[in-house]
């Protein structure tokens, strides 16, 4: 059992859109990611996904509206809801989602990371 | 689907050791709590519990060691592990735990809140 310091872990990597696993809890995983630019439209058919903003501003586009999140805010995107994260400047996020979740959801593309690394 | 601003939610209550529900994710709940003083020794037989420190310093006592957590750090306490949180000064935390989790775990005492409020 070890505590996790978010900043220390964030210092260990610089890739964008490549979530790193930092904890396991009840079948879910806690992940950290750095985001910049546009991701892809996708949804997770069976899992809710939590975005907690550590640094920066994240726009999340939905089919019928957009939501802007800033430091100290979180959003839980219910399963099945199509979304596309957009980070105009670099954003640091903590994600919580089931172990089985692929970050690009139902879409496989160049951005898809099949084997997420634990740090 | 609504975003949650931690500070706005924290401004809505002042009770200590009375977690408030602020989100639901895959059968778990996200909660916010203000802590001050000593809690009780307890464990959760079937659930891991995540403490994320928003403000202040939280000491978590275990039977064989102590761990000190500060802002920007989290700890996942595996199921079955006895622990007692101690907050010398006021601490604000975000908790993630299954819906079924009673915050005093296997112990029922004056501090136990059976009906946790959603804010």
């Amino acid at each position: 059992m070890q505590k996790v310091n978010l900043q220390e872990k964030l210092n260990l990597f610089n890739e964008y859109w490549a979530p790193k696993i930092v904890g396991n809890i009840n079948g879910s995983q806690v992940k950290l990611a750095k985001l910049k630019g546009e991701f892809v439209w996708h949804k997770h058919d069976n899992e809710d996904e939590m975005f907690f903003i550590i640094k920066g501003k994240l726009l999340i586009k939905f089919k019928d509206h957009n939501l802007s999140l800033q430091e100290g805010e979180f959003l839980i995107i219910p399963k099945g809801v199509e979304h596309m994260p957009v980070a105009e400047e670099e954003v640091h996020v903590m994600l919580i989602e089931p172990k089985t979740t692929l970050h690009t959801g139902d879409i496989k593309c160049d951005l898809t990371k099949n084997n997420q690394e634990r740090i």
Side-chain angles (χ1 to χ4, degrees), chain A:
Chain A
M1 184 175 27
Q2 285 198 306
K3 70 175 180 179
V4 171
N5 181 297
L6 299 192
Q7 196 51 57
E8 283 175 15
K9 294 291 189 189
L10 285 163
N11 291 343
L12 298 177
F13 67 100
N14 283 309
E15 300 156 88
Y16 295 124
W17 307 110
K20 308 296 181 192
I21 301 162
V22 292
N24 286 289
I25 175 170
N26 301 308
S28 284
Q29 288 178 323
V30 184
K31 300 174 183 178
L32 294 178
K34 295 184 176 182
L35 315 180
K36 192 170 179 186
E38 287 202 346
F39 202 49
V40 287
W41 279 104
H42 67 284
K43 60 185 162 58
H44 305 281
D45 287 327
N46 303 305
E47 310 102 358
D48 308 328
E49 188 181 21
M50 177 170 168
F51 286 80
F52 175 78
I53 311 300
I54 300 165
K55 180 182 131 181
K57 278 190 190 179
L58 184 65
L59 181 73
I60 302 189
K61 293 189 177 183
F62 299 96
K63 289 297 183 182
D64 56 354
H65 71 298
N66 297 334
L67 243 170
S68 177
L69 297 173
Q70 56 190 352
E71 196 176 317
E73 294 184 336
F74 74 80
L75 180 70
I76 296 169
I77 301 180
K79 57 189 172 195
V81 174
E82 278 195 286
H83 58 283
M84 178 170 72
V86 180
E88 202 174 312
E89 303 289 334
E90 182 168 307
V91 176
H92 298 174
V93 295
M94 180 165 68
L95 305 168
I96 298 174
E97 52 193 15
K99 275 186 190 168
T100 51
T101 305
L102 205 57
H103 64 148
T104 52
D106 56 328
I107 304 294
K108 296 215 177 177
C109 63
D110 291 350
L111 286 167
T112 305
K113 307 276 180 195
N114 285 299
N115 297 306
Q116 294 181 3
E117 187 191 355
R118 188 176 172 108
I119 59 172

